[in-house]
């Protein structure tokens, strides 16, 4: 489901996503209608504009998080930085992306969201961290927290930061989903964070991986 106050954005996203195999846009809505439509349609994924004139995206996000079995939500923005993004991530969003994301990348990001992964626009995440230095722990402190992890946990954290779900992480490094889940729980505890998104941001701040503008990543030093 796509939630945006601009009809052109809603129709454009619907056209792009419906043209991709295995993805169906079940509904679009403006902010004021969003919560009711989500309750009725029960989408797996919601792409939610963070800035809307009638009801802002943070309000809609809070309404979504209060629902039983809420969908995965990624915040949409037209800006490389947005003052509300950190609040959205702390409030349960599974990531954020720019509205000018390439169509091929957009469909892959939606699949990642549906599988329970984290999505973050590489350009926007770097700009966000540069523009909110007070919201992030010092880089050296982040690196020290990452060093508390075992080698295998760092492998898992790197894949979390790439946006992979537990199932995909297990396939990539040949572990059962249960083992991956245990590693994820240990990672969150050791890093003193409460969500995969926060862990992914910390990994990037710590320099664990370097993202490129095409959405790929390079694991530093491993």
């Amino acid at each position: 489901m796509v939630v945006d106050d601009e009809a052109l954005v809603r129709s454009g996203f619907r056209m792009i996503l419906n043209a991709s195999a295995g993805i169906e846009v079940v509904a679009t809505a403006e902010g004021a209608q969003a919560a009711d439509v989500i309750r009725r349609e029960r989408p797996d994924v919601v792409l939610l504009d963070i800035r809307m004139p009638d009801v802002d995206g943070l309000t809609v996000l809070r309404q979504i998080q209060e629902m039983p079995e809420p969908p995965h939500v990624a915040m949409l923005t037209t800006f490389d930085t947005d003052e509300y993004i950190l609040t959205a991530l702390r409030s349960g969003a599974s990531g954020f992306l720019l509205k000018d994301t390439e169509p091929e990348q957009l469909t892959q990001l939606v699949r990642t969201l549906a599988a329970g992964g984290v999505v973050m626009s590489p350009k926007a995440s770097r700009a966000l961290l540069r523009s909110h230095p007070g919201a992030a722990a010092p880089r050296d402190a982040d690196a020290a927290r990452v060093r508390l992890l075992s080698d295998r946990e760092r492998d898992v954290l790197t894949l979390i930061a790439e946006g992979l779900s537990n199932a995909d992480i297990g396939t990539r490094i040949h572990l059962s989903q249960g083992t991956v889940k245990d590693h994820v729980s240990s990672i969150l505890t050791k890093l003193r964070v409460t969500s995969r998104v926060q862990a992914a941001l910390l990994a990037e701040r710590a320099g664990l991986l370097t993202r490129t503008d095409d959405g790929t990543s390079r694991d530093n030093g491993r």
Side-chain angles (χ1 to χ4, degrees):
M1 178 172 163
V2 179
V3 179
D4 196 284
D5 63 299
E6 297 183 25
L8 185 60
V9 172
R10 297 195 302 271
S11 62
F13 273 53
R14 181 192 285 271
M15 181 179 66
I16 291 169
L17 293 170
N18 278 342
S20 182
I23 298 178
E24 178 187 2
V25 178
V26 296
T28 64
E30 299 181 49
Q33 310 162 339
D36 288 339
V37 178
I38 290 168
R39 291 188 186 96
R40 183 178 71 243
E41 298 293 339
R42 300 177 60 82
D44 298 307
V45 171
V46 175
L47 303 183
L48 173 60
D49 189 7
I50 203 167
R51 290 175 180 259
M52 294 179 288
D54 52 354
V55 177
D56 69 84
L58 294 178
T59 298
V60 176
L61 177 61
R62 285 192 289 269
Q63 293 171 340
I64 292 172
Q65 294 303 313
E66 291 172 356
M67 297 177 187
E69 299 183 2
H72 303 291
V73 180
M75 309 306 294
L76 296 172
T77 177
T78 56
F79 309 102
D80 280 356
T81 59
D82 193 301
E83 61 187 290
Y84 299 124
I85 285 176
L86 281 175
T87 301
L89 296 178
R90 290 167 179 158
S91 299
S94 296
F96 60 93
L97 53 94
L98 300 178
K99 291 185 183 180
D100 63 356
T101 299
E102 292 296 325
E104 295 81 4
Q105 189 179 18
L106 176 64
T107 56
Q108 182 56 48
L109 292 174
V110 168
R111 290 191 176 95
T112 298
L113 282 166
V118 173
V119 299
M120 290 186 287
S121 165
K123 289 189 294 185
S125 63
R126 286 198 299 271
L128 174 68
L129 296 173
R130 286 196 302 270
S131 64
H132 294 81
R139 187 181 182 89
D140 289 347
D142 290 333
R145 289 157 72 182
V146 169
R147 284 196 293 271
L148 294 174
L149 306 179
S150 67
D151 287 345
R152 178 59 84 187
E153 287 169 345
R154 281 195 294 273
D155 291 339
V156 173
L157 177 59
T158 299
L159 297 177
I160 290 173
E162 290 181 10
L164 273 65
S165 66
N166 286 356
D168 290 335
I169 291 172
T171 299
R172 180 78 67 88
I173 57 178
H174 310 294
L175 296 174
S176 70
Q177 287 192 52
T179 300
V180 173
K181 184 176 179 180
D182 289 341
H183 281 314
V184 171
S185 178
S186 177
I187 289 167
L188 298 183
T189 298
K190 289 181 179 180
L191 298 183
R192 301 194 301 275
V193 297
T194 59
S195 73
R196 297 168 74 96
V197 172
Q198 292 172 354
L201 287 171
L202 190 148
E204 190 157 3
R205 290 199 301 264
L208 188 62
L209 55 84
T210 300
R211 290 183 177 273
T212 61
D213 285 344
D214 62 1
T216 60
S217 61
R218 295 189 298 273
D219 186 357
N220 288 338
R222 292 189 58 75

